[in-house]
Amino acid sequence: MERSVAGVVLVGGQSSRMGRSKALLSYNGQPLYKHMQKLLQESGVARTYFSGPLSGEAFIPDQTAYAGPARAIA
């Protein structure tokens, strides 16, 4: 039986100290979230989901906004 593996990249959060989304920071000429998606794909992940608001991409909304990464994973 073939199994498929999904990955989740956490892209939510206020980034209040930084003042802008960390997921959108440029890393090697692309947004950081895209780099993380590529790493997951290279590791054999079949589908990547983004947890938290991300413009231009399908994402899983947080049930409780700004409650931290553990709550976003839950």
Side-chain angles (χ1 to χ4, degrees):
M1 174 171 80
E2 185 177 323
R3 296 192 301 180
S4 80
V5 176
V8 177
V9 178
L10 302 178
V11 297
Q14 290 179 303
S15 299
S16 57
R17 291 177 290 180
M18 183 168 286
R20 62 186 186 139
S21 172
K22 290 176 264 197
L24 299 177
L25 291 175
S26 180
Y27 183 80
N28 287 338
Q30 64 183 351
L32 185 57
Y33 79 92
K34 285 287 192 187
H35 173 72
M36 299 309 296
Q37 181 181 35
K38 181 181 173 200
L39 290 178
L40 286 170
Q41 289 171 341
E42 290 173 354
S43 299
V45 169
R47 174 99 171 118
T48 304
Y49 297 93
F50 301 103
S51 175
L54 187 59
S55 181
E57 298 284 348
F59 65 89
I60 302 167
D62 290 339
Q63 295 295 315
T64 305
Y66 308 118
R71 183 66 180 146
I73 291 169

